[in-house]
Amino acid sequence: MSLLPIQEKIGSRKHKEIYELVRRQGTVSKIELLEQSQMTGSTLTRTLEELTHQGWLVEAGFGESTGGRRPILYQTNPTAAYVFGLDISRMSSKLILCDLHMNKLDAESWLMDERMTPDRLLRDIADAAERMLHKHQIAADAVLGMGIGAVGPLDRTTGIILEPLYFPAAGWRHVEVARYMQERLRIPVLLDNGANTAIIGESWSDRNRDYRHLLYVHLGVGIRSSMMAGGKVVYGAVDMEGSIGQMIIQTDGPRIGNHGNFGSLQTYASIHALEQQAQSRLKQGRESSLRYKEADPEKINYTHLLQGLKEHDPLTVEIFSQAATYFGIGLSNLLNILHPEKVILGGSLISSDPSFFQIATRVAIRNTYYYPAYQVVFSQGHLGEEALVTGAAIMMINQLTEL
């Protein structure tokens, strides 16, 4: 199957430059574009006319006069194309359909339980995508493609999810997700890890601040992270999504199951870590309201812990506070090495209770070597749990201006 590369839809370098300038600012005048692009007036006029004629830009009225004629304002055309964003995670997965202004037209979610094998999920997603296009009367050739943010490790080049841990269902090994979606829907598909798509989404949502060095950490079943430097996602020789979870906090510490380093950060700060801590302390005889939620300590899970936290159960609060402290130590190690301007923290543990974020960031700051000369901004982001799926869609739109 032959698909036109997205990068070729907007042809020349100058067309891409002007489109990106308009896209980043929302609404911009021709005068402002002339100053920002350093093009000659005739070249800019011709470029704007061509982009408008092709449907990528639309005239959006007139700006305020500075003495002469009121300047024409330009915006990107939201209906010039459409895009899918897909988040494949361990607890739930989500598909969205958006226009080029990231207005969400439709969405569907799936619980990732023990029945949700790769075959079933991919089939359900493709069915949902087809229903969405039919419902909104969008032809397949009007879709830029589908961006996918998934749990790693994965191979971005071949579009394969490799050997992720902790999926409830069997079969999540070497899943050719990009090939399946491309052949089924006949649209371009890009795969990246969910932490990378999340940082793309958060960076775009905060683009007016122009942070150049960002760190994103997602704390849930595992620890997922990504880094952006100079406005670009940093990639390593292999997929790095889960690497900081293997940062060693205590050399003689335990590990979860038979995977990873002993005494790693993930062993102390993750959903599995909290569950194991609760089970262990209940077996030791610690008093807790958790005992009245489940008679068998081995069956205590994260849902029980959230209930205990909401009820201010002392043991549950202690377990969450300890995990937040360990996470803060790991975070300080990252700050001392990477020195990002802004750190965005996401995931179910971060959002479990305000105290988790507060404890973790306070511990991180206390252990940051160059503080207070080095100041970092901590945030829970603008998009929350929507960051991964939103960033996946934006990743596809970004391809329009890639050279």
mmCIF file with all atom_site columns, all heavy atoms in Angstrom, residues 90-91 166 217-224 266 269-274 302 327 346-350 385:
data_model
loop_
_atom_site.group_PDB
_atom_site.id
_atom_site.type_symbol
_atom_site.label_atom_id
_atom_site.label_alt_id
_atom_site.label_comp_id
_atom_site.label_asym_id
_atom_site.label_entity_id
_atom_site.label_seq_id
_atom_site.pdbx_PDB_ins_code
_atom_site.Cartn_x
_atom_site.Cartn_y
_atom_site.Cartn_z
_atom_site.occupancy
_atom_site.B_iso_or_equiv
_atom_site.pdbx_formal_charge
_atom_site.auth_seq_id
_atom_site.auth_comp_id
_atom_site.auth_asym_id
_atom_site.auth_atom_id
_atom_site.pdbx_PDB_model_num
ATOM 1   N N   . ARG A 1 90  ? -1.526 0.372  30.415 1.00 0.00 ? 90  ARG A N   1
ATOM 2   C CA  . ARG A 1 90  ? -1.788 -0.876 31.132 1.00 0.00 ? 90  ARG A CA  1
ATOM 3   C C   . ARG A 1 90  ? -3.159 -0.905 31.796 1.00 0.00 ? 90  ARG A C   1
ATOM 4   O O   . ARG A 1 90  ? -3.754 -1.958 31.932 1.00 0.00 ? 90  ARG A O   1
ATOM 5   C CB  . ARG A 1 90  ? -0.706 -1.094 32.195 1.00 0.00 ? 90  ARG A CB  1
ATOM 6   C CG  . ARG A 1 90  ? 0.707  -1.247 31.645 1.00 0.00 ? 90  ARG A CG  1
ATOM 7   C CD  . ARG A 1 90  ? 1.681  -1.393 32.796 1.00 0.00 ? 90  ARG A CD  1
ATOM 8   N NE  . ARG A 1 90  ? 3.044  -1.573 32.356 1.00 0.00 ? 90  ARG A NE  1
ATOM 9   C CZ  . ARG A 1 90  ? 3.952  -0.600 32.322 1.00 0.00 ? 90  ARG A CZ  1
ATOM 10  N NH1 . ARG A 1 90  ? 3.607  0.638  32.668 1.00 0.00 ? 90  ARG A NH1 1
ATOM 11  N NH2 . ARG A 1 90  ? 5.188  -0.831 31.927 1.00 0.00 ? 90  ARG A NH2 1
ATOM 12  N N   . MET A 1 91  ? -3.645 0.243  32.231 1.00 0.00 ? 91  MET A N   1
ATOM 13  C CA  . MET A 1 91  ? -4.917 0.268  32.957 1.00 0.00 ? 91  MET A CA  1
ATOM 14  C C   . MET A 1 91  ? -6.099 0.571  32.039 1.00 0.00 ? 91  MET A C   1
ATOM 15  O O   . MET A 1 91  ? -7.185 0.034  32.222 1.00 0.00 ? 91  MET A O   1
ATOM 16  C CB  . MET A 1 91  ? -4.849 1.300  34.090 1.00 0.00 ? 91  MET A CB  1
ATOM 17  C CG  . MET A 1 91  ? -3.769 0.968  35.113 1.00 0.00 ? 91  MET A CG  1
ATOM 18  S SD  . MET A 1 91  ? -3.650 2.170  36.459 1.00 0.00 ? 91  MET A SD  1
ATOM 19  C CE  . MET A 1 91  ? -5.139 1.827  37.375 1.00 0.00 ? 91  MET A CE  1
ATOM 20  N N   . TYR A 1 166 ? 3.519  -6.149 32.859 1.00 0.00 ? 166 TYR A N   1
ATOM 21  C CA  . TYR A 1 166 ? 2.355  -5.853 33.703 1.00 0.00 ? 166 TYR A CA  1
ATOM 22  C C   . TYR A 1 166 ? 1.058  -5.598 32.947 1.00 0.00 ? 166 TYR A C   1
ATOM 23  O O   . TYR A 1 166 ? 0.123  -5.030 33.518 1.00 0.00 ? 166 TYR A O   1
ATOM 24  C CB  . TYR A 1 166 ? 2.644  -4.654 34.631 1.00 0.00 ? 166 TYR A CB  1
ATOM 25  C CG  . TYR A 1 166 ? 3.935  -4.775 35.391 1.00 0.00 ? 166 TYR A CG  1
ATOM 26  C CD1 . TYR A 1 166 ? 4.884  -3.764 35.361 1.00 0.00 ? 166 TYR A CD1 1
ATOM 27  C CD2 . TYR A 1 166 ? 4.220  -5.927 36.144 1.00 0.00 ? 166 TYR A CD2 1
ATOM 28  C CE1 . TYR A 1 166 ? 6.078  -3.874 36.053 1.00 0.00 ? 166 TYR A CE1 1
ATOM 29  C CE2 . TYR A 1 166 ? 5.408  -6.041 36.846 1.00 0.00 ? 166 TYR A CE2 1
ATOM 30  C CZ  . TYR A 1 166 ? 6.340  -5.010 36.782 1.00 0.00 ? 166 TYR A CZ  1
ATOM 31  O OH  . TYR A 1 166 ? 7.516  -5.104 37.471 1.00 0.00 ? 166 TYR A OH  1
ATOM 32  N N   . VAL A 1 217 ? 7.443  12.873 33.825 1.00 0.00 ? 217 VAL A N   1
ATOM 33  C CA  . VAL A 1 217 ? 7.490  11.587 34.532 1.00 0.00 ? 217 VAL A CA  1
ATOM 34  C C   . VAL A 1 217 ? 6.064  11.164 34.844 1.00 0.00 ? 217 VAL A C   1
ATOM 35  O O   . VAL A 1 217 ? 5.281  11.928 35.431 1.00 0.00 ? 217 VAL A O   1
ATOM 36  C CB  . VAL A 1 217 ? 8.312  11.668 35.830 1.00 0.00 ? 217 VAL A CB  1
ATOM 37  C CG1 . VAL A 1 217 ? 8.406  10.283 36.464 1.00 0.00 ? 217 VAL A CG1 1
ATOM 38  C CG2 . VAL A 1 217 ? 9.705  12.224 35.575 1.00 0.00 ? 217 VAL A CG2 1
ATOM 39  N N   . HIS A 1 218 ? 5.726  9.945  34.439 1.00 0.00 ? 218 HIS A N   1
ATOM 40  C CA  . HIS A 1 218 ? 4.392  9.385  34.649 1.00 0.00 ? 218 HIS A CA  1
ATOM 41  C C   . HIS A 1 218 ? 4.528  8.237  35.640 1.00 0.00 ? 218 HIS A C   1
ATOM 42  O O   . HIS A 1 218 ? 5.256  7.274  35.400 1.00 0.00 ? 218 HIS A O   1
ATOM 43  C CB  . HIS A 1 218 ? 3.839  8.879  33.309 1.00 0.00 ? 218 HIS A CB  1
ATOM 44  C CG  . HIS A 1 218 ? 2.429  8.399  33.366 1.00 0.00 ? 218 HIS A CG  1
ATOM 45  N ND1 . HIS A 1 218 ? 2.088  7.135  33.795 1.00 0.00 ? 218 HIS A ND1 1
ATOM 46  C CD2 . HIS A 1 218 ? 1.263  9.016  33.049 1.00 0.00 ? 218 HIS A CD2 1
ATOM 47  C CE1 . HIS A 1 218 ? 0.769  6.995  33.721 1.00 0.00 ? 218 HIS A CE1 1
ATOM 48  N NE2 . HIS A 1 218 ? 0.246  8.106  33.282 1.00 0.00 ? 218 HIS A NE2 1
ATOM 49  N N   . LEU A 1 219 ? 3.834  8.349  36.762 1.00 0.00 ? 219 LEU A N   1
ATOM 50  C CA  . LEU A 1 219 ? 3.992  7.398  37.854 1.00 0.00 ? 219 LEU A CA  1
ATOM 51  C C   . LEU A 1 219 ? 2.689  6.636  38.067 1.00 0.00 ? 219 LEU A C   1
ATOM 52  O O   . LEU A 1 219 ? 1.675  7.210  38.467 1.00 0.00 ? 219 LEU A O   1
ATOM 53  C CB  . LEU A 1 219 ? 4.371  8.153  39.135 1.00 0.00 ? 219 LEU A CB  1
ATOM 54  C CG  . LEU A 1 219 ? 4.748  7.337  40.365 1.00 0.00 ? 219 LEU A CG  1
ATOM 55  C CD1 . LEU A 1 219 ? 5.938  6.439  40.093 1.00 0.00 ? 219 LEU A CD1 1
ATOM 56  C CD2 . LEU A 1 219 ? 5.042  8.268  41.535 1.00 0.00 ? 219 LEU A CD2 1
ATOM 57  N N   . GLY A 1 220 ? 2.715  5.345  37.748 1.00 0.00 ? 220 GLY A N   1
ATOM 58  C CA  . GLY A 1 220 ? 1.529  4.518  37.900 1.00 0.00 ? 220 GLY A CA  1
ATOM 59  C C   . GLY A 1 220 ? 1.935  3.084  38.151 1.00 0.00 ? 220 GLY A C   1
ATOM 60  O O   . GLY A 1 220 ? 2.652  2.786  39.105 1.00 0.00 ? 220 GLY A O   1
ATOM 61  N N   . VAL A 1 221 ? 1.499  2.168  37.277 1.00 0.00 ? 221 VAL A N   1
ATOM 62  C CA  . VAL A 1 221 ? 1.918  0.768  37.388 1.00 0.00 ? 221 VAL A CA  1
ATOM 63  C C   . VAL A 1 221 ? 3.429  0.673  37.275 1.00 0.00 ? 221 VAL A C   1
ATOM 64  O O   . VAL A 1 221 ? 4.086  -0.086 37.982 1.00 0.00 ? 221 VAL A O   1
ATOM 65  C CB  . VAL A 1 221 ? 1.229  -0.089 36.312 1.00 0.00 ? 221 VAL A CB  1
ATOM 66  C CG1 . VAL A 1 221 ? 1.752  -1.520 36.350 1.00 0.00 ? 221 VAL A CG1 1
ATOM 67  C CG2 . VAL A 1 221 ? -0.288 -0.065 36.517 1.00 0.00 ? 221 VAL A CG2 1
ATOM 68  N N   . GLY A 1 222 ? 3.993  1.466  36.382 1.00 0.00 ? 222 GLY A N   1
ATOM 69  C CA  . GLY A 1 222 ? 5.443  1.613  36.254 1.00 0.00 ? 222 GLY A CA  1
ATOM 70  C C   . GLY A 1 222 ? 5.792  3.084  36.284 1.00 0.00 ? 222 GLY A C   1
ATOM 71  O O   . GLY A 1 222 ? 4.953  3.937  36.571 1.00 0.00 ? 222 GLY A O   1
ATOM 72  N N   . ILE A 1 223 ? 7.040  3.380  35.992 1.00 0.00 ? 223 ILE A N   1
ATOM 73  C CA  . ILE A 1 223 ? 7.491  4.776  35.927 1.00 0.00 ? 223 ILE A CA  1
ATOM 74  C C   . ILE A 1 223 ? 7.942  5.045  34.500 1.00 0.00 ? 223 ILE A C   1
ATOM 75  O O   . ILE A 1 223 ? 8.879  4.415  34.002 1.00 0.00 ? 223 ILE A O   1
ATOM 76  C CB  . ILE A 1 223 ? 8.638  5.057  36.921 1.00 0.00 ? 223 ILE A CB  1
ATOM 77  C CG1 . ILE A 1 223 ? 8.228  4.650  38.335 1.00 0.00 ? 223 ILE A CG1 1
ATOM 78  C CG2 . ILE A 1 223 ? 9.007  6.537  36.893 1.00 0.00 ? 223 ILE A CG2 1
ATOM 79  C CD1 . ILE A 1 223 ? 9.313  4.858  39.377 1.00 0.00 ? 223 ILE A CD1 1
ATOM 80  N N   . ARG A 1 224 ? 7.268  5.962  33.840 1.00 0.00 ? 224 ARG A N   1
ATOM 81  C CA  . ARG A 1 224 ? 7.546  6.278  32.446 1.00 0.00 ? 224 ARG A CA  1
ATOM 82  C C   . ARG A 1 224 ? 8.063  7.712  32.384 1.00 0.00 ? 224 ARG A C   1
ATOM 83  O O   . ARG A 1 224 ? 7.572  8.597  33.080 1.00 0.00 ? 224 ARG A O   1
ATOM 84  C CB  . ARG A 1 224 ? 6.269  6.130  31.607 1.00 0.00 ? 224 ARG A CB  1
ATOM 85  C CG  . ARG A 1 224 ? 5.589  4.803  31.813 1.00 0.00 ? 224 ARG A CG  1
ATOM 86  C CD  . ARG A 1 224 ? 4.134  4.765  31.358 1.00 0.00 ? 224 ARG A CD  1
ATOM 87  N NE  . ARG A 1 224 ? 4.024  4.771  29.908 1.00 0.00 ? 224 ARG A NE  1
ATOM 88  C CZ  . ARG A 1 224 ? 2.858  4.713  29.273 1.00 0.00 ? 224 ARG A CZ  1
ATOM 89  N NH1 . ARG A 1 224 ? 1.713  4.663  29.957 1.00 0.00 ? 224 ARG A NH1 1
ATOM 90  N NH2 . ARG A 1 224 ? 2.823  4.715  27.959 1.00 0.00 ? 224 ARG A NH2 1
ATOM 91  N N   . GLN A 1 266 ? 11.416 1.935  41.045 1.00 0.00 ? 266 GLN A N   1
ATOM 92  C CA  . GLN A 1 266 ? 10.110 1.354  40.796 1.00 0.00 ? 266 GLN A CA  1
ATOM 93  C C   . GLN A 1 266 ? 9.700  0.380  41.898 1.00 0.00 ? 266 GLN A C   1
ATOM 94  O O   . GLN A 1 266 ? 8.518  0.150  42.126 1.00 0.00 ? 266 GLN A O   1
ATOM 95  C CB  . GLN A 1 266 ? 10.125 0.647  39.436 1.00 0.00 ? 266 GLN A CB  1
ATOM 96  C CG  . GLN A 1 266 ? 8.765  0.198  38.934 1.00 0.00 ? 266 GLN A CG  1
ATOM 97  C CD  . GLN A 1 266 ? 8.790  -0.146 37.464 1.00 0.00 ? 266 GLN A CD  1
ATOM 98  O OE1 . GLN A 1 266 ? 9.112  0.684  36.624 1.00 0.00 ? 266 GLN A OE1 1
ATOM 99  N NE2 . GLN A 1 266 ? 8.486  -1.388 37.140 1.00 0.00 ? 266 GLN A NE2 1
ATOM 100 N N   . ALA A 1 269 ? 8.382  3.045  44.521 1.00 0.00 ? 269 ALA A N   1
ATOM 101 C CA  . ALA A 1 269 ? 7.388  4.046  44.117 1.00 0.00 ? 269 ALA A CA  1
ATOM 102 C C   . ALA A 1 269 ? 6.695  3.597  42.838 1.00 0.00 ? 269 ALA A C   1
ATOM 103 O O   . ALA A 1 269 ? 7.129  3.925  41.734 1.00 0.00 ? 269 ALA A O   1
ATOM 104 C CB  . ALA A 1 269 ? 8.054  5.409  43.917 1.00 0.00 ? 269 ALA A CB  1
ATOM 105 N N   . SER A 1 270 ? 5.642  2.840  42.984 1.00 0.00 ? 270 SER A N   1
ATOM 106 C CA  . SER A 1 270 ? 4.798  2.392  41.870 1.00 0.00 ? 270 SER A CA  1
ATOM 107 C C   . SER A 1 270 ? 3.566  1.755  42.490 1.00 0.00 ? 270 SER A C   1
ATOM 108 O O   . SER A 1 270 ? 3.526  1.484  43.701 1.00 0.00 ? 270 SER A O   1
ATOM 109 C CB  . SER A 1 270 ? 5.521  1.385  40.976 1.00 0.00 ? 270 SER A CB  1
ATOM 110 O OG  . SER A 1 270 ? 5.794  0.182  41.672 1.00 0.00 ? 270 SER A OG  1
ATOM 111 N N   . ILE A 1 271 ? 2.545  1.522  41.685 1.00 0.00 ? 271 ILE A N   1
ATOM 112 C CA  . ILE A 1 271 ? 1.325  0.898  42.214 1.00 0.00 ? 271 ILE A CA  1
ATOM 113 C C   . ILE A 1 271 ? 1.631  -0.479 42.787 1.00 0.00 ? 271 ILE A C   1
ATOM 114 O O   . ILE A 1 271 ? 1.170  -0.829 43.881 1.00 0.00 ? 271 ILE A O   1
ATOM 115 C CB  . ILE A 1 271 ? 0.251  0.823  41.117 1.00 0.00 ? 271 ILE A CB  1
ATOM 116 C CG1 . ILE A 1 271 ? -0.326 2.222  40.865 1.00 0.00 ? 271 ILE A CG1 1
ATOM 117 C CG2 . ILE A 1 271 ? -0.866 -0.148 41.505 1.00 0.00 ? 271 ILE A CG2 1
ATOM 118 C CD1 . ILE A 1 271 ? -1.336 2.294  39.746 1.00 0.00 ? 271 ILE A CD1 1
ATOM 119 N N   . HIS A 1 272 ? 2.448  -1.263 42.068 1.00 0.00 ? 272 HIS A N   1
ATOM 120 C CA  . HIS A 1 272 ? 2.803  -2.591 42.580 1.00 0.00 ? 272 HIS A CA  1
ATOM 121 C C   . HIS A 1 272 ? 3.555  -2.489 43.907 1.00 0.00 ? 272 HIS A C   1
ATOM 122 O O   . HIS A 1 272 ? 3.356  -3.307 44.818 1.00 0.00 ? 272 HIS A O   1
ATOM 123 C CB  . HIS A 1 272 ? 3.662  -3.342 41.556 1.00 0.00 ? 272 HIS A CB  1
ATOM 124 C CG  . HIS A 1 272 ? 2.886  -3.865 40.395 1.00 0.00 ? 272 HIS A CG  1
ATOM 125 N ND1 . HIS A 1 272 ? 1.719  -4.581 40.541 1.00 0.00 ? 272 HIS A ND1 1
ATOM 126 C CD2 . HIS A 1 272 ? 3.106  -3.785 39.056 1.00 0.00 ? 272 HIS A CD2 1
ATOM 127 C CE1 . HIS A 1 272 ? 1.247  -4.918 39.354 1.00 0.00 ? 272 HIS A CE1 1
ATOM 128 N NE2 . HIS A 1 272 ? 2.071  -4.433 38.434 1.00 0.00 ? 272 HIS A NE2 1
ATOM 129 N N   . ALA A 1 273 ? 4.421  -1.490 44.021 1.00 0.00 ? 273 ALA A N   1
ATOM 130 C CA  . ALA A 1 273 ? 5.186  -1.312 45.258 1.00 0.00 ? 273 ALA A CA  1
ATOM 131 C C   . ALA A 1 273 ? 4.264  -1.005 46.428 1.00 0.00 ? 273 ALA A C   1
ATOM 132 O O   . ALA A 1 273 ? 4.425  -1.556 47.524 1.00 0.00 ? 273 ALA A O   1
ATOM 133 C CB  . ALA A 1 273 ? 6.211  -0.196 45.078 1.00 0.00 ? 273 ALA A CB  1
ATOM 134 N N   . LEU A 1 274 ? 3.283  -0.135 46.203 1.00 0.00 ? 274 LEU A N   1
ATOM 135 C CA  . LEU A 1 274 ? 2.344  0.194  47.271 1.00 0.00 ? 274 LEU A CA  1
ATOM 136 C C   . LEU A 1 274 ? 1.519  -1.023 47.676 1.00 0.00 ? 274 LEU A C   1
ATOM 137 O O   . LEU A 1 274 ? 1.288  -1.258 48.874 1.00 0.00 ? 274 LEU A O   1
ATOM 138 C CB  . LEU A 1 274 ? 1.416  1.330  46.815 1.00 0.00 ? 274 LEU A CB  1
ATOM 139 C CG  . LEU A 1 274 ? 1.848  2.747  47.212 1.00 0.00 ? 274 LEU A CG  1
ATOM 140 C CD1 . LEU A 1 274 ? 3.101  3.158  46.448 1.00 0.00 ? 274 LEU A CD1 1
ATOM 141 C CD2 . LEU A 1 274 ? 0.733  3.744  46.967 1.00 0.00 ? 274 LEU A CD2 1
ATOM 142 N N   . TYR A 1 302 ? -4.792 -1.772 44.583 1.00 0.00 ? 302 TYR A N   1
ATOM 143 C CA  . TYR A 1 302 ? -4.701 -0.305 44.535 1.00 0.00 ? 302 TYR A CA  1
ATOM 144 C C   . TYR A 1 302 ? -6.048 0.363  44.804 1.00 0.00 ? 302 TYR A C   1
ATOM 145 O O   . TYR A 1 302 ? -6.095 1.425  45.437 1.00 0.00 ? 302 TYR A O   1
ATOM 146 C CB  . TYR A 1 302 ? -4.151 0.123  43.177 1.00 0.00 ? 302 TYR A CB  1
ATOM 147 C CG  . TYR A 1 302 ? -3.851 1.606  43.079 1.00 0.00 ? 302 TYR A CG  1
ATOM 148 C CD1 . TYR A 1 302 ? -2.921 2.200  43.917 1.00 0.00 ? 302 TYR A CD1 1
ATOM 149 C CD2 . TYR A 1 302 ? -4.491 2.397  42.124 1.00 0.00 ? 302 TYR A CD2 1
ATOM 150 C CE1 . TYR A 1 302 ? -2.634 3.546  43.834 1.00 0.00 ? 302 TYR A CE1 1
ATOM 151 C CE2 . TYR A 1 302 ? -4.206 3.747  42.023 1.00 0.00 ? 302 TYR A CE2 1
ATOM 152 C CZ  . TYR A 1 302 ? -3.279 4.322  42.880 1.00 0.00 ? 302 TYR A CZ  1
ATOM 153 O OH  . TYR A 1 302 ? -3.001 5.676  42.781 1.00 0.00 ? 302 TYR A OH  1
ATOM 154 N N   . PHE A 1 327 ? 10.091 8.601  45.702 1.00 0.00 ? 327 PHE A N   1
ATOM 155 C CA  . PHE A 1 327 ? 9.979  9.175  44.369 1.00 0.00 ? 327 PHE A CA  1
ATOM 156 C C   . PHE A 1 327 ? 10.676 10.531 44.307 1.00 0.00 ? 327 PHE A C   1
ATOM 157 O O   . PHE A 1 327 ? 11.338 10.858 43.313 1.00 0.00 ? 327 PHE A O   1
ATOM 158 C CB  . PHE A 1 327 ? 8.508  9.317  43.974 1.00 0.00 ? 327 PHE A CB  1
ATOM 159 C CG  . PHE A 1 327 ? 8.301  9.916  42.614 1.00 0.00 ? 327 PHE A CG  1
ATOM 160 C CD1 . PHE A 1 327 ? 8.751  9.266  41.474 1.00 0.00 ? 327 PHE A CD1 1
ATOM 161 C CD2 . PHE A 1 327 ? 7.674  11.142 42.470 1.00 0.00 ? 327 PHE A CD2 1
ATOM 162 C CE1 . PHE A 1 327 ? 8.578  9.819  40.218 1.00 0.00 ? 327 PHE A CE1 1
ATOM 163 C CE2 . PHE A 1 327 ? 7.485  11.698 41.223 1.00 0.00 ? 327 PHE A CE2 1
ATOM 164 C CZ  . PHE A 1 327 ? 7.945  11.044 40.087 1.00 0.00 ? 327 PHE A CZ  1
ATOM 165 N N   . GLY A 1 346 ? 2.815  13.247 36.041 1.00 0.00 ? 346 GLY A N   1
ATOM 166 C CA  . GLY A 1 346 ? 1.494  12.719 35.737 1.00 0.00 ? 346 GLY A CA  1
ATOM 167 C C   . GLY A 1 346 ? 1.357  11.288 36.190 1.00 0.00 ? 346 GLY A C   1
ATOM 168 O O   . GLY A 1 346 ? 2.299  10.681 36.705 1.00 0.00 ? 346 GLY A O   1
ATOM 169 N N   . GLY A 1 347 ? 0.177  10.732 35.996 1.00 0.00 ? 347 GLY A N   1
ATOM 170 C CA  . GLY A 1 347 ? -0.067 9.347  36.370 1.00 0.00 ? 347 GLY A CA  1
ATOM 171 C C   . GLY A 1 347 ? -0.966 9.231  37.583 1.00 0.00 ? 347 GLY A C   1
ATOM 172 O O   . GLY A 1 347 ? -1.188 10.188 38.336 1.00 0.00 ? 347 GLY A O   1
ATOM 173 N N   . SER A 1 348 ? -1.469 8.034  37.804 1.00 0.00 ? 348 SER A N   1
ATOM 174 C CA  . SER A 1 348 ? -2.467 7.818  38.846 1.00 0.00 ? 348 SER A CA  1
ATOM 175 C C   . SER A 1 348 ? -1.930 8.049  40.265 1.00 0.00 ? 348 SER A C   1
ATOM 176 O O   . SER A 1 348 ? -2.670 8.498  41.136 1.00 0.00 ? 348 SER A O   1
ATOM 177 C CB  . SER A 1 348 ? -3.037 6.399  38.734 1.00 0.00 ? 348 SER A CB  1
ATOM 178 O OG  . SER A 1 348 ? -1.998 5.439  38.712 1.00 0.00 ? 348 SER A OG  1
ATOM 179 N N   . LEU A 1 349 ? -0.653 7.773  40.499 1.00 0.00 ? 349 LEU A N   1
ATOM 180 C CA  . LEU A 1 349 ? -0.114 8.025  41.841 1.00 0.00 ? 349 LEU A CA  1
ATOM 181 C C   . LEU A 1 349 ? 0.013  9.520  42.125 1.00 0.00 ? 349 LEU A C   1
ATOM 182 O O   . LEU A 1 349 ? -0.251 9.977  43.232 1.00 0.00 ? 349 LEU A O   1
ATOM 183 C CB  . LEU A 1 349 ? 1.257  7.355  42.000 1.00 0.00 ? 349 LEU A CB  1
ATOM 184 C CG  . LEU A 1 349 ? 1.239  5.891  42.434 1.00 0.00 ? 349 LEU A CG  1
ATOM 185 C CD1 . LEU A 1 349 ? 2.651  5.347  42.562 1.00 0.00 ? 349 LEU A CD1 1
ATOM 186 C CD2 . LEU A 1 349 ? 0.496  5.729  43.742 1.00 0.00 ? 349 LEU A CD2 1
ATOM 187 N N   . ILE A 1 350 ? 0.422  10.283 41.121 1.00 0.00 ? 350 ILE A N   1
ATOM 188 C CA  . ILE A 1 350 ? 0.565  11.732 41.299 1.00 0.00 ? 350 ILE A CA  1
ATOM 189 C C   . ILE A 1 350 ? -0.792 12.361 41.604 1.00 0.00 ? 350 ILE A C   1
ATOM 190 O O   . ILE A 1 350 ? -0.903 13.279 42.414 1.00 0.00 ? 350 ILE A O   1
ATOM 191 C CB  . ILE A 1 350 ? 1.185  12.371 40.053 1.00 0.00 ? 350 ILE A CB  1
ATOM 192 C CG1 . ILE A 1 350 ? 2.611  11.845 39.818 1.00 0.00 ? 350 ILE A CG1 1
ATOM 193 C CG2 . ILE A 1 350 ? 1.201  13.897 40.169 1.00 0.00 ? 350 ILE A CG2 1
ATOM 194 C CD1 . ILE A 1 350 ? 3.594  12.176 40.926 1.00 0.00 ? 350 ILE A CD1 1
ATOM 195 N N   . GLU A 1 385 ? -4.486 13.148 32.513 1.00 0.00 ? 385 GLU A N   1
ATOM 196 C CA  . GLU A 1 385 ? -4.426 11.827 31.889 1.00 0.00 ? 385 GLU A CA  1
ATOM 197 C C   . GLU A 1 385 ? -4.694 11.878 30.384 1.00 0.00 ? 385 GLU A C   1
ATOM 198 O O   . GLU A 1 385 ? -4.522 10.882 29.689 1.00 0.00 ? 385 GLU A O   1
ATOM 199 C CB  . GLU A 1 385 ? -5.419 10.882 32.564 1.00 0.00 ? 385 GLU A CB  1
ATOM 200 C CG  . GLU A 1 385 ? -5.034 10.500 33.992 1.00 0.00 ? 385 GLU A CG  1
ATOM 201 C CD  . GLU A 1 385 ? -3.657 9.837  34.060 1.00 0.00 ? 385 GLU A CD  1
ATOM 202 O OE1 . GLU A 1 385 ? -3.436 8.822  33.381 1.00 0.00 ? 385 GLU A OE1 1
ATOM 203 O OE2 . GLU A 1 385 ? -2.801 10.348 34.801 1.00 0.00 ? 385 GLU A OE2 1
#
